[in-house]
Structure formats: structure tokens, C-alpha cells
Amino acid sequence: MSRFLPPPLAAALPKISTPAYVADMAALRRNLETADRIRKEAGCRVLLALKAFAMPVLFPLMRESLDGTTASGLHEARLGREEFGREVHVYSPAYTESSLRELASVADHIYFNSPDQIRRFLPLVRAAGKDKKIGIRINPGYSHATLGGHLYDPCSPCSRFGVVRERLDELPWDEIDILHSHTLCESLADGSTGLIDHVAKELGPYVGRVEAVNFGGGHFINKKGYDVDALIRAIRDFRSAFGVDVILEPGSGIVVDAGYLVSTVLDIVHNKKDIAILDASASCHMPDVLEVPYTPPLCGAAGPGIEPFTYILGGNTCMTGDIIGEYSFPRPLKPGDRLVFGDMLQYSFVKNNNFNGTALPDLSLLHEDGSYEVVRRFGYDDFRSRLG
Ligand SMILES: Cc1ncc(COP(=O)(O)O)c(C=O)c1O
């Protein structure tokens, strides 16, 4: 749980108004180099899953190393088209006719989730242009999500994602360009290569009918311990065995460990234990802490009872369960102390909410020369505008 506070961030701390998400440009650049290497050495395409991370100010940098974006629906697809450029892919568990009409003019790769949706909407997509690529998400029956048990496993029992094996022959394969198989979550290379091998062994006849296979997201390519060479080998072998293109669409793996959430201690209270109230909230600013659930890394702190001073860290909302976790520190905490949570770019600000009218953290950048830039500060108007 403990993490070292990088010196450039330590130097910038006095300038940071909290709460603030801080993208670490040096770390992000390193992560993007991994993606670029995979593209080049494996000969595949790598997309950014916008659901995990979407900061348009960084798109010019990101599009140098990525082939485009993948969206969960119309708004993300528009963001990808208007702000990122390059390829725009979209997959939704189900489309409405009106959303698909708009999507057909925005996305170039549209993935369906069921035989019925593809049958109903194929004519509409085809009418939008011959160059549109049609994908189908399948459920390959391969579970390897290492996070949150069934909650993050697309192949968990009774999952609604992807066409199950028994129904694959109902699909109009002559109309389908891409087979899509997203089954991983925070998986190391054994998950990625396991999925690729599984599709090769179990679904070869279907792979033979498409021009590309999209192995989804969840490839934790920048996580310590991820064997990038093993992924590259597996993709190369798959491509040469089937003569198809390969696409990956990671979100977390692109931005893992490349940013922070900086917060301030507002008060210390005592109820059997010491409790610090912060200006960062689990409910509003780090909802995955409660949903997964998990305890985020905190720079300079350890698990409870390891260092001499242990505190429960809680948010400044009315929700009793707005608890980030329990941590210990070498010195007692006091109001005004800065606390820096690590690994805070993925599924963080994209999931923010204003519950209790809570202020949203700044979105900011720590540049490689050590300078600190606030990209967006939120205020009352942002809160008010969503209330109609
Ligand atoms: C279809 C699809 N593609 C890509 C992703 C990105 O996954 P990750 O951020 O774990 O890499 C997700 C995440 O839920 C997804 O559902």
C-alpha cells in the first residue's frame, strides 16, 4: 500500500490546490511507449478505451502512440471522433435506433452484442456507408478477470455480454468483419495469452470468417510484472496462424500508475479510532474504492498498525461508508497535511459525481520539467448545470 512520493510531485505539492487529479506526464509517456512497442512489434492496433480515461488535452500526445479510441456509446464516440481522431470503435450491450443513426455517422467500427441487434440494425449501418466495419462481441467462455470477482468478469455465469457459444451459428458471418472478445480485467500476460490461445483453439472456424479479432481491454500492459514480450509473441503467432488483424483496446493498462489524487486533511476526529476527514471522497472521487472494493495506495503511508499512527480516512460527505481506507503514518496527521493517493487516473474522474454538492477535483498535469498546470477547475456552475 505504501508508495514513494516522486520528487517532482513533492516539489509541486505546495502549488497544488486540492483536491486535484494530477496526470504524471513522464509516467504517461513511458506507458504510451509500451503501447507503441506492442503495436510495432506485434503488428497490431491498440485503441484507448475512453470509459477508463478521457482527458482531451492529452489526446494529441496519445494519438502518436495509439490507433484510435473505443467508446461505450454515442457520447464517448463523439469525443473520440471530435477530439482524438483516427479510428473510432464503439460497442454497446444494446443500441437504440436513434443512437445508432447518430453513431453511424461518427464511428467507423460498430460492434453488436446479440444476434437480434445485428439483424435489426445491420441495414441501418450498411446504409451509412460501405466502409463501416461490423463487429460482434462473443462470450468465449474464458474467465480471467483478476479484480472484484464476478463483478468485473464479462464471462461470469449469466453474463449479458457477448453471444454465447451455442448461438454463434445464428450470426450472419458473411456480414461480420471483426470478432470481439473482451474478457479480461487488470490481467497480467498469462491472462492475455490465455485468452488468445483459447480463441485460437476453441473458435478457429469463426476466426477464419472475419478479417480482425479484437481481444478487448483488461490487458494490464504497464503493470509491474506484465510480460510484454509474451503478449507480442502470442499476437504474432495468432496473426500468422489465421492471417487476421489483431486489435487491443485497453484503458487501465494505458494509464496505470501514471497519476495521483492529491487531497488535504480537513479535520481529525476520534471515535474509538483516529479518523481523518479529507477533501477527497471515496463516494464522489474514487467510486471504485467502494465498488470493487479496494484500498488505494497512499504515498508515504502503510497498512494499519505498521507505522505508529493509524487513521481511518473518510470523505467530507454524509455517507457513513464514504471511507477510503485505514492507513498508518510515521507522524500524526493534522489539518492541512497533504495526502497523495497513487494510481488514480483509471476509472476515477470519468466516474466522478457531485453528491452532497461536493466539489470536483481539478484536472491537472505534472509536466516533465516539473511545472504544474491546472487544465480544468470546477465550480458551482458545473454542479448547478446538471440539476436542470
Ligand atoms: C468492451 C470493453 N473494452 C475495453 C475495456 C477497457 O478495459 P480496461 O480498462 O480494463 O483495460 C472495457 C472495460 O470495461 C470494456 O468493457
Side-chain angles (χ1 to χ4, degrees):
M1 183 189 297
S2 179
R3 194 162 287 213
F4 175 63
L5 183 63
L9 182 62
L13 266 190
K15 288 179 245 159
I16 298 180
S17 159
T18 70
Y21 295 104
V22 184
D24 181 332
M25 298 299 289
L28 186 62
R29 208 179 277 279
R30 282 195 296 275
N31 283 5
L32 289 168
E33 278 165 17
T34 310
D36 202 29
R37 185 179 148 222
I38 293 169
R39 288 163 76 212
K40 288 181 177 143
E41 294 185 21
C44 67
R45 278 130 74 197
V46 180
L47 310 171
L48 170 67
L50 291 175
K51 69 184 77 182
F53 177 80
M55 208 187 258
V57 70
L58 294 176
F59 289 172
L61 170 72
M62 300 183 94
R63 71 171 157 255
E64 287 172 21
S65 314
L66 300 170
D67 295 277
T69 55
T70 187
S72 323
L74 182 57
H75 288 174
E76 283 184 355
R78 267 192 67 180
L79 187 72
R81 170 60 63 224
E82 292 171 16
E83 308 273 354
F84 197 104
R86 309 203 70 182
E87 295 179 16
V88 176
H89 297 233
V90 63
Y91 157 79
S92 276
Y95 299 99
T96 61
E97 186 173 333
S98 63
S99 73
L100 205 53
R101 273 189 199 289
E102 272 196 75
L103 270 171
S105 66
V106 171
D108 14 67
H109 299 68
I110 299 179
Y111 299 74
F112 291 93
N113 188 59
S114 76
D116 189 52
Q117 284 247 318
I118 198 168
R119 211 174 296 116
R120 276 162 60 202
F121 293 132
L122 194 59
L124 192 159
V125 178
R126 286 287 177 235
K130 289 211 173 343
D131 51 337
K132 301 282 170 204
K133 298 287 181 193
I134 301 290
I136 187 74
R137 180 165 177 178
I138 60 152
N139 178 339
Y142 175 84
S143 286
H144 196 287
T146 57
L147 190 73
H150 280 174
L151 203 58
Y152 293 90
D153 177 3
C155 296
S156 61
C158 305
S159 164
R160 66 190 179 285
F161 302 126
V163 182
V164 290
R165 188 72 182 261
E166 311 81 84
R167 298 197 63 191
L168 289 183
D169 290 328
E170 291 173 35
L171 292 165
W173 285 101
D174 291 342
E175 301 277 0
I176 294 172
D177 306 294
I178 313 170
L179 188 142
H180 181 273
S181 176
H182 167 74
T183 70
L184 307 179
C185 182
E186 299 204 352
S187 299
L188 293 181
D190 59 332
S192 306
T193 59
L195 171 62
I196 294 169
D197 287 351
H198 178 86
V199 171
K201 287 197 189 100
E202 302 292 326
L203 297 156
Y206 301 100
V207 176
R209 304 203 57 177
V210 294
E211 64 185 55
V213 176
N214 182 331
F215 286 108
H219 309 270
F220 224 11
I221 53 174
N222 281 294
K223 190 70 182 173
K224 199 163 176 283
Y226 190 100
D227 184 348
V228 173
D229 291 320
L231 173 68
I232 290 171
R233 275 194 306 275
I235 295 174
R236 288 165 81 149
D237 290 349
F238 188 87
R239 285 181 52 235
S240 65
F242 292 98
V244 291
D245 287 346
V246 166
I247 304 165
L248 306 179
E249 50 180 38
S252 311
I254 302 289
V255 296
V256 59
D257 286 330
Y260 315 92
L261 174 58
V262 183
S263 65
T264 299
V265 176
L266 303 180
D267 197 14
I268 308 288
V269 296
H270 188 87
N271 179 0
K272 295 198 174 65
K273 292 184 173 189
D274 288 322
I275 304 155
I277 299 174
L278 310 186
D279 60 1
S281 153
S283 307
C284 300
H285 308 146
M286 13 174 134
D288 272 2
V289 164
L290 304 181
E291 277 178 31
V292 174
Y294 81 106
T295 305
L298 179 57
C299 297
I306 296 172
E307 296 288 351
F309 303 96
T310 293
Y311 295 82
I312 294 172
L313 304 185
N316 198 15
T317 70
C318 67
M319 188 195 160
T320 308
D322 184 358
I323 299 295
I324 299 160
E326 196 169 358
Y327 301 81
S328 66
F329 300 82
R331 282 176 296 282
L333 292 181
K334 56 181 187 325
D337 283 350
R338 294 298 171 88
L339 297 183
V340 179
F341 295 94
D343 197 15
M344 274 292 153
L345 290 194
Q346 69 219 24
Y347 300 101
S348 56
F349 64 93
V350 289
K351 295 180 92 171
N352 272 355
N353 68 75
N354 278 122
F355 181 50
N356 282 207
T358 301
L360 298 179
D362 286 351
L363 300 179
S364 52
L365 310 178
L366 180 63
H367 289 286
E368 282 159 280
D369 64 2
S371 60
Y372 178 72
E373 180 190 356
V374 177
V375 172
R376 178 76 154 90
R377 176 156 291 163
F378 301 90
Y380 173 74
D381 290 345
D382 298 289
F383 165 65
R384 174 67 187 86
S385 65
R386 289 181 57 206
L387 300 176

